[in-house]
């Protein structure tokens, strides 16, 4: 599949039509929102120079009105209009992640041999809250300066109420949880890779790649055509060696208050 086709499908399925399990999708004249019990995001916008500031202010007011302005993100993609949208978001109190994530995609009809091979690492699909604790023990060690409570509650609810909506995996070494990652199946053609934290002393041992392989193989079994990931610079270097290609870049703009 050509990259331009993947990009167009990504915008339509993963931004405009996206409907993650455990969330509600809200569509207005100007934005598409995704909201769960504690968090919310604007994932797509149709703005111009004349209306951008008013729409941004209205979205802030809306998220305040439903009580989740403290955990509100505007997902800004390269090419979103107007051209100075990032600067406008900053003026309204948003803090963009830097550097931006690289949005990478892999055509699953051309799965590289390393991702298609049987996985020999100890990687287990999480099916209960004890396993979820193992995943978040890794996340909380790697990202110790962040609050992961709302994320853990969201995944715990999905695990109990919609166990097939996503698959969460934990990698172990000698019984110790050392890496994690999950995959969602929200798009018609897409599966999305998320997570991917690995304890520093267990990096460069093929564990991260093994987690990608497990999830890619499941996506194929579920009939998906394209695998995507919001990759950090460290992850991007590994993934591009496995055939992932850049389709766009995105900033997670967190609202910090004006």
């Amino acid at each position: 599949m050509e990259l331009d086709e993947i990009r167009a499908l990504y915008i339509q399925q993963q931004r405009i039509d996206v409907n993650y399990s455990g969330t509600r999708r809200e569509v207005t004249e100007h934005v598409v929102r995704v909201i769960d019990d504690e968090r919310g995001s604007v994932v797509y916008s149709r703005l111009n120079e004349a209306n951008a500031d008013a729409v941004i202010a209205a979205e802030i007011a809306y998220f305040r009105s439903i009580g989740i302005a403290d955990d509100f993100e505007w997902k800004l993609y390269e090419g979103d209009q107007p051209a100075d949208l990032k600067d406008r978001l900053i003026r309204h109190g948003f803090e963009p992640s830097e550097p931006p994530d690289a949005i990478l995609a892999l055509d699953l009809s051309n799965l590289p041999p390393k991702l298609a091979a049987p996985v020999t690492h100890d990687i287990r699909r999480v099916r209960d809250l004890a396993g979820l604790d193992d995943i978040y023990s890794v996340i909380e060690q790697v990202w110790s300066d962040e609050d992961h409570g709302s994320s853990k509650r969201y995944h715990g609810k999905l695990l109990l109420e919609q166990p097939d909506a996503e698959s969460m995996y934990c990698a172990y070494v000698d019984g110790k949880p050392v890496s994690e990652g999950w995959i969602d199946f929200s798009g018609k053609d897409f599966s999305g890779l998320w997570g991917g934290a690995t304890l520093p002393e267990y990096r460069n041992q093929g564990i991260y790649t093994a987690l990608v392989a497990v999830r890619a193989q499941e996506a194929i079994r579920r009939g998906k055509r394209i695998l995507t990931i919001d990759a950090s610079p460290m992850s991007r270097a590994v993934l591009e060696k496995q055939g992932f290609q850049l389709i766009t870049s995105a900033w997670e703009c967190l609202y910090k208050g004006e």
Side-chain angles (χ1 to χ4, degrees):
M1 189 181 302
E2 297 295 327
L3 273 184
D4 285 346
E5 182 182 358
I6 292 175
R7 288 189 183 100
L9 284 173
Y10 181 86
I11 292 170
Q12 187 65 49
Q13 295 186 20
Q14 297 300 92
R15 299 189 63 194
I16 298 173
D17 296 334
V18 70
N19 194 6
Y20 292 113
S21 300
T23 70
R24 68 179 185 272
R25 175 177 171 268
E26 297 180 346
V27 182
T28 74
E29 179 183 359
H30 300 295
V31 305
V32 177
R33 310 182 188 113
V34 174
I35 299 173
D36 65 29
D37 293 338
E38 300 180 56
R39 301 173 298 168
S41 300
V42 169
V43 296
Y44 182 76
S45 62
R46 301 178 184 90
L47 305 180
N48 55 49
E49 290 185 359
N51 66 18
D53 287 304
V55 173
I56 293 168
E59 289 304 303
I60 292 169
Y62 174 74
F63 279 93
R64 281 178 175 157
S65 75
I66 62 174
I68 56 174
D70 290 340
D71 209 341
F72 166 33
E73 170 192 290
W74 192 296
K75 192 72 170 288
L76 172 67
Y77 288 80
E78 183 179 14
D80 283 357
Q81 296 299 310
D84 64 347
L85 182 53
K86 184 166 74 166
D87 291 335
R88 292 174 187 250
L89 288 167
I90 290 170
R91 289 198 295 270
H92 282 273
F94 288 85
E95 185 176 293
S97 57
E98 294 289 358
D101 288 333
I103 312 300
L104 306 179
L106 177 68
D107 183 344
L108 289 170
S109 67
N110 296 312
L111 194 65
K114 196 167 185 177
L115 298 183
V119 173
T120 57
H121 291 79
D122 183 4
I123 295 176
R124 311 171 198 174
R125 183 175 172 188
V126 166
R127 298 185 183 277
D128 55 32
L129 295 181
L132 189 66
D133 285 342
D134 285 349
I135 282 179
Y136 275 87
S137 73
V138 175
I139 292 172
E140 288 163 0
Q141 289 177 75
V142 173
W143 305 108
S144 58
D145 59 340
E146 299 178 16
D147 182 357
H148 304 283
S150 61
S151 172
K152 186 176 182 179
R153 289 187 290 272
Y154 167 76
H155 290 292
K157 184 177 180 180
L158 275 188
L159 190 64
L160 295 175
E161 298 179 3
Q162 301 180 56
D164 292 325
E166 63 179 13
S167 293
M168 304 191 75
Y169 290 93
C170 191
Y172 297 82
V173 173
D174 298 327
K176 176 183 177 179
V178 301
S179 187
E180 53 72 37
W182 61 92
I183 181 171
D184 76 68
F185 306 97
S186 57
K188 176 184 175 183
D189 294 300
F190 289 83
S191 283
L193 300 182
W194 303 96
T198 303
L199 298 182
E201 60 270 33
Y202 294 95
R203 293 171 187 168
N204 302 312
Q205 298 180 27
I207 296 172
Y208 179 86
T209 299
L211 275 164
V212 173
V214 166
R215 291 175 287 170
Q217 292 169 22
E218 181 177 3
I220 291 171
R221 292 196 300 272
R222 292 208 186 198
K224 301 300 182 178
R225 299 170 64 197
I226 306 162
L227 201 58
T228 61
I229 186 169
D230 295 17
S232 67
M234 182 185 300
S235 300
R236 179 179 177 178
V238 175
L239 292 163
E240 287 184 331
K241 292 178 181 177
Q242 300 305 325
F244 282 79
Q245 294 178 282
L246 179 71
I247 57 171
T248 188
S249 298
W251 292 261
E252 296 174 0
C253 302
L254 300 179
Y255 181 65
K256 299 295 186 179
E258 296 178 83

